[in-house]
């Protein structure tokens, strides 16, 4: 496998020669008792009975390999490199059928704690420019296997979507000396037309130019550039767990399948990072979660060349999600 860069769009593409399939397993490799089917345990939370509740292991079919060097090379105008990186799986709980939104608050907080721990650890590796956390919920989102899990990747490049965010947030800051996302939060909270849920620490809303019906962003009200440095106390992890669960359960009333992506600050320890270029990064970048639902009924929603078509007004989507009566699940 290699990573190729499209010189026009600046997109990095993981290029494989034929798709590798899942190893032929008789049992779910993420269920308790099957630990030997996964390479090794990178992180775990074990309860007082000695059983694990969260477990992180290398991916069975990794997109990236951790060993070796990057071997950047050119081919005329083209750039390519080895698929150096890390690809891990966060097994969110031992129960094969219990999805994240239905776990107990404490268990969701343990999953968040695992994210914090792994991101922090991977960012110590100076070869990696970015650490992504994402979650594919449901078959339409590409979830495989069914056992509830999230994925973490560490890459020698910054994903294009994040590069665009970094650029526009930096540009806005250089003009106004304010964080654009803080300004968006303030405006949305004042208008209350696209907000879904909020408390004194977090808020969720449908973005003004939502890419798909019921797109939702979840973010901290107080400015913070890094998820892994913001959610360090158990209290805050538990608070965010409770908040996130409620938002996910709202979303699940309109879409069973969705993607969750965490956008946190790039790796500031990375080898070639020009720190000068990112002088204002801590002030201009604001971490957030993006929730992208996939609905069968939204077949008219498509994107072509990155222009999206969305048939549900974000104001209407937010109103629907806000009005839902979600009973707290502890
Ligand atoms: Zn399982
Ligand atoms: Zn901010
Ligand atoms: Zn983002």
């Amino acid at each position: 496998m290699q990573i190729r860069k499209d010189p026009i769009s600046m997109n990095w593409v993981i290029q494989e020669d034929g798709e590798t399939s899942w190893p032929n397993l008789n049992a779910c490799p993420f269920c308790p008792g099957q630990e030997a089917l996964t390479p090794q345990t990178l992180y775990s939370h074990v309860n007082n009975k000695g059983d694990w509740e969260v477990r992180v292991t290398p991916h069975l079919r990794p997109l990236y390999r951790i060993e070796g060097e990057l071997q950047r090379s050119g081919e005329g105008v083209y750039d390519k490199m080895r698929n150096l990186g890390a690809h891990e799986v966060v097994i969110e709980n031992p129960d094969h059928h219990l999805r994240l939104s239905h776990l107990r608050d404490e268990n969701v907080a343990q999953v968040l704690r695992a994210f914090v721990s792994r991101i922090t650890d991977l960012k110590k590796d100076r070869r990696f420019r970015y650490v992504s956390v994402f979650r594919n919920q449901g078959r339409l989102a590409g979830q495989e296997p069914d056992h509830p899990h999230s994925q973490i990747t560490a890459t020698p490049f910054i994903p294009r979507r994040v590069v665009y965010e970094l650029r526009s947030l930096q540009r806005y800051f250089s003009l106004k000396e304010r964080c654009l996302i803080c300004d968006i939060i303030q405006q949305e909270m004042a208008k209350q037309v696209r907000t879904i849920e909020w408390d004194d620490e977090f808020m969720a809303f449908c973005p003004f130019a939502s890419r798909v019906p019921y797109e939702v962003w979840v973010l901290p009200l107080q400015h913070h550039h890094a998820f892994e440095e913001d959610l360090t106390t158990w209290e805050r992890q538990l608070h965010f767990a409770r908040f996130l669960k409620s938002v996910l359960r709202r979303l699940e009333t309109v879409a069973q399948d969705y993607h969750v992506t965490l956008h946190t600050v790039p790796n500031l320890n990375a080898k070639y990072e020009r720190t000068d270029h990112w002088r204002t990064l801590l002030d201009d970048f604001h971490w957030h979660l993006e929730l992208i639902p996939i609905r069968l009924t939204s077949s008219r929603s498509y994107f072509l060349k990155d222009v999206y078509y969305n048939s549900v007004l974000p104001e209407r989507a937010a109103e629907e999600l806000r009005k839902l009566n979600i009973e707290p699940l502890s």
Side-chain angles (χ1 to χ4, degrees):
M1 258 196 277
Q2 55 179 216
I3 312 177
R4 296 180 175 187
K5 189 184 197 177
D6 175 356
I8 302 171
S9 68
M10 310 290 268
N11 232 357
W12 289 98
V13 178
I14 304 161
Q15 190 64 59
E16 193 170 26
D17 188 11
E19 199 179 350
T20 54
S21 54
W22 270 92
N24 215 344
L25 303 168
N26 295 320
C28 168
F30 298 166
C31 272
Q34 307 300 332
E35 290 79 4
L37 295 175
T38 49
Q40 88 226 54
T41 302
L42 299 164
Y43 172 97
S44 69
H45 171 70
V46 176
N47 64 20
N48 47 23
K49 288 184 213 132
D51 302 320
W52 62 263
E53 289 184 337
V54 178
R55 208 175 142 248
V56 183
T57 166
H59 202 282
L60 284 169
R61 207 176 54 167
L63 291 174
Y64 305 99
R65 303 273 176 186
I66 197 125
E67 324 71 35
E69 286 306 313
L70 207 48
Q71 296 165 13
R72 271 177 182 278
S73 58
E75 215 180 285
V77 294
Y78 304 122
D79 288 313
K80 59 180 183 183
M81 56 191 181
R82 264 197 56 233
N83 60 330
L84 173 78
H87 192 175
E88 303 178 354
V89 174
V90 181
I91 307 165
E92 295 164 347
N93 83 104
D95 189 330
H96 192 86
H97 301 287
L98 202 55
R99 56 165 70 185
L100 189 68
S101 57
H102 286 72
L103 294 183
R104 292 172 54 237
D105 293 346
E106 290 75 14
N107 294 98
V108 176
Q110 286 296 353
V111 172
L112 298 173
R113 175 170 279 193
F115 292 166
V116 168
S117 167
R118 293 309 304 147
I119 297 171
T120 307
D121 193 47
L122 287 163
K123 280 189 167 180
K124 288 178 189 154
D125 193 323
R126 299 188 61 222
R127 298 172 303 170
F128 303 146
R129 282 201 163 104
Y130 200 76
V131 180
S132 301
V133 179
F134 59 98
R135 190 173 193 285
N136 297 333
Q137 174 67 53
R139 288 278 165 91
L140 294 179
Q143 182 182 357
E144 189 187 29
D146 287 334
H147 198 118
H149 67 280
S150 305
Q151 300 181 56
I152 301 180
T153 58
T155 51
F157 59 87
I158 301 175
R160 185 177 67 151
R161 162 93 195 162
V162 180
V163 170
Y164 286 171
E165 288 185 2
L166 289 167
R167 277 192 204 143
S168 61
L169 291 174
Q170 190 189 42
R171 194 172 304 134
Y172 187 86
F173 193 90
S174 70
L175 288 172
K176 309 202 181 195
E177 293 190 10
R178 295 200 307 262
C179 163
L180 172 57
I181 292 184
C182 280
D183 280 5
I184 289 174
I185 291 172
Q186 208 174 39
Q187 185 172 323
E188 295 297 342
M189 289 295 277
K191 289 209 161 178
Q192 302 283 4
V193 285
R194 281 174 293 270
T195 40
I196 298 164
E197 190 172 356
W198 60 92
D199 60 18
D200 49 345
E201 294 188 24
F202 302 101
M203 73 95 95
F205 75 109
C206 293
F208 179 70
S210 294
R211 287 164 285 182
V212 294
Y214 304 96
E215 174 174 351
V216 175
W217 283 32
V218 186
L219 17 79
L221 290 172
Q222 276 277 343
H223 180 84
H224 207 298
H225 61 283
F227 168 87
E228 66 280 11
E229 289 173 37
D230 190 4
L231 259 62
T232 49
T233 65
W234 177 244
E235 205 182 19
R236 189 143 164 91
Q237 287 161 354
L238 202 55
H239 189 138
F240 189 57
R242 207 173 290 132
F243 189 84
L244 179 62
K245 251 174 73 174
S246 174
V247 176
L248 290 177
R249 288 174 56 230
R250 284 179 197 278
L251 189 71
E252 286 168 2
T253 65
V254 293
Q256 289 298 305
D257 299 59
Y258 53 86
H259 300 287
V260 179
T261 315
L262 168 66
H263 284 164
T264 187
V265 81
N267 187 9
L268 299 169
N269 300 319
K271 218 187 258 176
Y272 305 110
E273 243 23 284
R274 290 167 296 163
T275 43
D276 186 49
H277 182 66
W278 279 349
R279 258 176 313 129
T280 61
L281 198 58
L282 305 194
D283 296 318
D284 68 41
F285 193 79
H286 193 127
W287 75 263
H288 54 276
L289 288 185
E290 297 183 12
L291 278 44
I292 312 284
I294 305 167
R295 297 161 79 233
L296 280 173
T297 50
S298 65
S299 56
R300 289 192 61 214
S301 179
Y302 60 90
F303 64 94
L304 186 69
K305 297 170 189 160
D306 285 343
V307 177
Y308 296 85
Y309 167 78
N310 176 0
S311 60
V312 177
L313 263 182
E315 294 76 17
R316 226 181 293 289
E319 188 181 12
E320 188 180 332
L321 295 173
R322 182 170 59 237
K323 282 186 176 159
L324 286 168
N325 204 357
I326 300 285
E327 294 288 324
L329 255 188
S330 62

